[in-house]
């Protein structure tokens, strides 16, 4: 059937477009609810390729009496290939690049497989172009489906990794310094890491790694007995996020760089931001340590 010519173009399109959505999914910590809420809030759906398919579908219907059944499937396949070529690769071109971790590869592989199966089903069912709008628009939802399929396995893996990292920190007992803030935390982390190196071997979480599994991986793979200091960047994806990170890496010192109007879609208010960030200060004090807060941060009543 000539519709398989569309599938041949759809396959590379799906492979490239999935990377774009996977990048966003990863930034939402693979949380299905947050990812779906983001898609709805931003009204994210394919426009460019979908418009091309709609135009080709209408032309196919108008030109059907004239024959040439292969022409519009070929054009639709070429449109898919053009869409793939126009996609930016988030592994190379992004401020915080897509990290193809083992989990990301698992989700990506299953999602791509699901999309290709849906595409094969459409190709087997009809030569018309318009039904291809379905797999094109289903692309981000394939990631959610893949994540649900993997959920039992991922839960077991994360529990094991979390426990291994927590136990290793308990054995090696470096001085743990946690850093969070609406902005400036990555810069402060790197500056502090360089300063602490003059006092003793120091490990810092690389790049913008600031989630539980990212931190656990660094502890498991890089923390060594000779490390005297461990500087941890902690990202907040909601109230309770930093508290959970502090359970993994109990801080001896907590540094809050700033409280600002960032990620209001998650925190709703400045008070919500302050509540989330000050979980670090509370955890440090509970361990018997100390906390450092930027002076202008104290101007917010919610942070007192």
């Amino acid at each position: 059937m000539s519709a398989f010519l569309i599938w041949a173009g759809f396959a590379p399109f799906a492979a490239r477009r999935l990377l774009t959505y996977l990048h966003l999914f990863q930034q939402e910590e693979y949380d299905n609810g947050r990812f779906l809420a983001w898609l709805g809030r931003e009204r994210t759906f394919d426009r460019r390729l979908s418009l091309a398919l709609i135009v080709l579908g209408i032309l196919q219907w108008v030109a059907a009496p004239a024959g040439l059944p292969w022409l519009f499937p070929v054009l639709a396949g070429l449109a898919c290939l053009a869409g793939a070529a126009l996609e930016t690769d988030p592994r190379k071109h992004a401020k915080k690049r897509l990290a193809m971790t083992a989990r990301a590869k698992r989700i990506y592989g299953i999602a791509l497989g699901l999309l290709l199966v849906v595409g094969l089903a459409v190709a087997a069912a009809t030569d018309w172009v318009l039904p291809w709008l379905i797999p094109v628009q289903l692309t981000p939802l394939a990631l959610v489906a893949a994540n649900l399929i993997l959920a039992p396995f991922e839960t077991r893996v994360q529990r094991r990794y979390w426990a291994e990292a927590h136990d290793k920190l308990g054995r090696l007992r470096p001085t743990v310094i946690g850093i969070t803030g609406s902005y400036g935390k990555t810069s402060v982390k790197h500056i502090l890491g360089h300063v602490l190196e003059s006092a003793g071997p120091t490990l810092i979480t690389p790049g913008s790694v600031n989630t539980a599994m990212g931190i656990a991986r660094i502890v498991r793979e890089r923390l060594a007995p000779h490390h005297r200091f461990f500087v941890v960047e902690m990202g907040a994806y909601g109230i309770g996020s930093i508290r959970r990170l502090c359970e993994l890496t109990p801080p001896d010192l907590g540094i809050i760089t700033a409280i600002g109007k960032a990620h209001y879609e998650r925190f709703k208010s400045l008070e919500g931001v302050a509540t989330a960030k000050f979980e670090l200060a509370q955890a440090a004090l509970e361990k018997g340590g100390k906390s450092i807060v930027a002076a202008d941060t104290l101007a917010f009543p919610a942070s007192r």
Side-chain angles (χ1 to χ4, degrees):
M1 295 176 68
S2 57
F4 286 99
L5 296 173
I6 307 179
W7 185 88
F10 173 74
F13 168 79
R16 294 298 298 270
R17 178 60 62 84
L18 270 177
L19 289 174
T20 299
Y21 282 118
L22 181 62
H23 184 217
L24 300 166
F25 199 26
Q26 188 174 78
Q27 292 183 49
E28 294 293 347
E29 290 191 300
Y30 305 113
D31 185 294
N32 290 337
R34 287 209 304 261
F35 181 61
L36 290 172
W38 182 87
L39 291 175
R41 186 173 58 251
E42 299 296 326
R43 299 179 181 178
T44 302
F45 57 91
D46 178 84
R47 295 174 176 84
R48 188 165 50 202
L49 178 57
S50 295
L51 179 60
L53 292 176
I54 290 171
V55 171
L56 288 172
I58 294 173
L59 292 175
Q60 184 182 35
W61 177 73
V62 172
L68 298 177
W70 53 269
L71 176 60
F72 291 98
V74 167
L75 293 176
L78 292 174
C80 290
L81 289 174
L86 292 173
E87 285 291 314
T88 301
D89 191 339
R91 297 169 298 181
K92 301 176 182 178
H93 308 288
K95 180 179 179 181
K96 184 176 181 180
R97 296 179 182 179
L98 169 63
M100 290 303 290
T101 62
R103 183 179 185 184
K105 291 177 181 177
R106 288 191 291 268
I107 293 174
Y108 177 79
I110 291 177
L112 181 58
L114 291 173
L115 284 176
L116 294 182
V117 168
V118 172
L120 284 173
V122 174
T126 179
D127 286 334
W128 291 96
V129 170
L130 285 177
W132 284 91
L133 291 169
I134 297 172
V136 169
Q137 297 298 343
L138 284 178
T139 302
L141 300 183
L143 292 171
V144 175
N147 200 35
L148 289 172
I149 292 171
L150 288 167
F153 172 77
E154 296 295 347
T155 298
R156 292 194 298 271
V157 169
Q158 289 181 29
R159 286 175 178 171
R160 185 175 82 248
Y161 287 174
W162 195 98
E164 289 176 0
H166 186 268
D167 292 346
K168 187 175 183 179
L169 276 168
R171 291 195 311 272
L172 301 184
R173 302 181 67 82
T175 297
V176 177
I177 302 168
I179 302 174
T180 193
S182 298
Y183 49 85
K185 52 185 177 291
T186 301
S187 298
V188 170
K189 175 187 66 179
H190 286 287
I191 293 169
L192 182 60
H194 284 297
V195 172
L196 289 175
E197 277 288 352
S198 63
T202 301
L203 175 66
I204 68 172
T205 51
S208 296
V209 171
N210 58 19
T211 63
M213 286 301 99
I215 294 169
R217 179 171 58 85
I218 298 305
V219 172
R220 292 172 56 253
E221 297 177 0
R222 302 191 188 183
L223 186 66
H226 70 276
H227 284 125
R228 183 177 173 186
F229 302 102
F230 181 38
V231 183
V232 186
E233 179 180 335
M234 297 183 174
Y237 293 84
I239 293 175
S241 293
I242 292 180
R243 182 173 65 251
R244 289 189 290 273
L245 293 178
C246 290
E247 291 171 356
L248 172 63
T249 57
D252 298 285
L253 174 64
I255 300 175
I256 300 174
T257 61
I259 304 295
K261 296 180 179 180
H263 302 300
Y264 263 33
E265 73 279 5
R266 300 171 183 165
F267 300 106
K268 310 302 180 185
S269 66
L270 194 61
E271 182 176 355
V273 177
T275 299
K277 301 300 184 182
F278 269 75
E279 290 173 351
L280 174 57
Q282 183 65 34
L285 294 175
E286 289 175 355
K287 189 180 178 181
K290 298 180 180 180
S291 61
I292 298 174
V293 183
D296 57 351
T297 301
L298 296 175
F300 297 109
S303 65
R304 291 185 183 276

